[in-house]
Amino acid sequence: MPSAVPPHMSPDRLEVVVLVVSAVLLLGVAAVRVSTGAGLPSLLLYLGIGLAIGEAGLGLRFDDAAVAQTVCTVALAVILAEGGLTTRLHVIRPVALHAGVLATLGVAISVAVTSTAAWLLLDVDVRTALLLGAVVSSTDAAAVFAVMRRLPLNRRTRALLEAESGLNDPPVIILVTLVVSSAWEDLDGWAALFGFVQQMGLGVVAGVLVAFAGRFVLSRVALPAAGLYPLATMTFAMLGFGVAGVVGGSPFVAVYLAGLLLGNADLPHRAATLGFAEGLAWLSQIGLFVVLGLLASPSRLADALVPALVVGVALALVARPLSVALCSIPFRMPWREQAFTSWAGLRGAVPIVLATFPITAGVPNAQQIFDVTF
């Protein structure tokens, strides 16, 4: 009887891998319980698990930024899909325009302020300063969904923060991709603006079309097992990610919109679908942050502490409050909600994932950018 184990992996090695992965997942599940009792985001504990089993802890060495970037990008797509599936459209509709302004103009203000502070105070070149400002300027869907849904907030504030976190990743990803590419040397502002509008527009179109196709199919096809409906629904949401990427649109806009429209449709086995999506999102969060923790090298983090404080203070105390205040003027947002929205602009996986882009592109000072962001 042929062996089921790949030729390059001995049975003993396969069992060790399964053992380690299972142990990490169980630690991740336990971390949710611990974090709930302690009031800490479980995402921080996942990063700690990655550091603990990494080169400075148990000795597991992982330094492949390209693999980490791929794995974490897929995990982010799953998290955004789940966020869309579990968000009620009637809740975010009143804040959609405000969230869109925060996700575009607000991000631009944050990038400008944080990059300027990095350039003036850290003695770095313009490209490095712009990357430092850009990678930390978008709020993180994984962190916002995980933390905000446990707090007793009014519906408007929660909806605004969730919608913003689902929409503001694509602008920053487009900016970072542009800056790390060879096009940086001959940057054309109008071409960059056109590319941004094109990616956002195609992402919206792809997400909407895939969602309507999914709603049509799932409401008319009788699947042989109830467990297939959650799998098919989640697959349609992820199909939006793939279609948008193929046609040149923003995959993150597409997957969030596809999830949002599918989650608000009258589809069979809705409760089972949402439970399945939530489980996948937790699995993605655990895997994403553990991988990023593995990628970090504690021996380098001490040198990044002072630059990180400079960037963090500029972002938290100046850039984020200023961007929220300016973007909220047309919407007459009460000052208490503005203050909370400023402090609740949580950062998490997205900045660290974006910080792998300069490494894979071979940009000068790329490792410093990753360490400071981490």
Side-chain angles (χ1 to χ4, degrees):
M1 181 177 179
S3 171
V5 179
H8 63 279
M9 182 179 293
S10 67
D12 290 343
R13 179 176 174 82
L14 177 62
E15 292 165 1
V16 170
V17 171
V18 173
L19 175 64
V20 171
V21 171
S22 300
V24 169
L25 288 178
L26 288 175
L27 282 173
V29 173
V32 178
R33 177 62 180 169
V34 173
S35 66
T36 301
L40 291 171
S42 56
L43 315 178
L44 291 176
L45 298 182
Y46 301 154
L47 282 175
I49 293 172
L51 288 171
I53 65 177
E55 60 183 59
L58 297 181
L60 180 60
R61 184 174 180 82
F62 177 75
D63 54 7
D64 194 327
V67 171
Q69 179 181 318
T70 301
V71 170
C72 294
T73 298
V74 175
L76 281 174
V78 172
I79 293 167
L80 284 170
E82 188 268 343
L85 285 168
T86 54
T87 298
R88 305 310 294 154
L89 196 56
H90 72 272
V91 174
I92 70 165
R93 188 179 288 115
V95 300
L97 181 58
H98 193 175
V101 173
L102 282 173
T104 50
L105 178 60
V107 165
I109 294 172
S110 289
V111 172
V113 172
T114 309
S115 299
T116 301
W119 182 63
L120 293 175
L121 300 176
L122 296 181
D123 191 27
V124 295
D125 60 276
V126 173
R127 191 181 196 182
T128 301
L130 186 56
L131 284 172
L132 283 171
V135 297
V136 300
S137 289
S138 70
T139 59
D140 182 60
V144 170
F145 295 153
V147 175
M148 292 298 117
R149 292 181 178 179
R150 300 207 314 249
L151 300 180
L153 302 177
N154 66 61
R155 291 198 309 175
R156 173 186 170 83
T157 303
R158 179 185 287 112
L160 177 64
L161 289 166
E162 290 188 5
E164 179 199 7
S165 69
L167 295 173
N168 65 7
D169 293 342
V172 175
I173 292 172
I174 294 169
L175 175 59
V176 171
T177 303
L178 176 65
V179 176
V180 301
S181 70
S182 57
W184 167 256
E185 303 297 336
D186 303 303
L187 185 62
D188 184 340
W190 289 109
L193 180 61
F194 175 77
F196 168 76
V197 172
Q198 180 186 40
Q199 289 195 41
M200 294 291 285
L202 290 175
V204 170
V205 172
V208 170
L209 291 178
V210 167
F212 278 105
R215 292 166 67 165
F216 179 84
V217 171
L218 292 172
S219 62
R220 287 167 173 80
V221 174
L223 298 176
L228 293 175
Y229 285 95
L231 180 61
T233 303
M234 196 67 182
T235 302
F236 267 110
M238 294 300 292
L239 185 64
F241 182 90
V243 170
V246 169
V247 301
S250 169
F252 294 98
V253 167
V255 73
Y256 181 71
L257 283 179
L260 182 65
L261 294 175
L262 286 168
N264 284 271
D266 186 19
L267 299 179
H269 302 286
R270 172 179 170 79
T273 297
L274 296 185
F276 176 75
E278 184 180 16
L280 282 182
W282 277 111
L283 177 63
S284 298
Q285 288 183 41
I286 294 171
L288 186 154
F289 281 94
V290 169
V291 167
L292 292 175
L294 279 170
L295 192 61
S297 177
S299 62
R300 296 194 310 264
L301 296 182
D303 294 334
L305 180 59
V306 172
L309 287 172
V310 171
V311 173
V313 168
L315 175 67
L317 299 184
V318 183
R320 174 66 178 178
L322 181 62
S323 64
V324 171
L326 293 178
C327 293
S328 300
I329 291 174
F331 304 97
R332 298 183 180 180
M333 190 180 192
W335 70 267
R336 290 181 63 188
E337 287 189 32
Q338 285 191 39
F340 185 86
T341 302
S342 297
W343 285 109
L346 303 178
R347 269 61 179 176
V350 174
I352 312 177
V353 173
L354 288 176
T356 64
F357 284 38
I359 297 177
T360 56
V363 174
N365 301 319
Q367 195 62 64
Q368 179 191 17
I369 293 170
F370 179 86
D371 294 339
V372 169
T373 304
F374 186 91

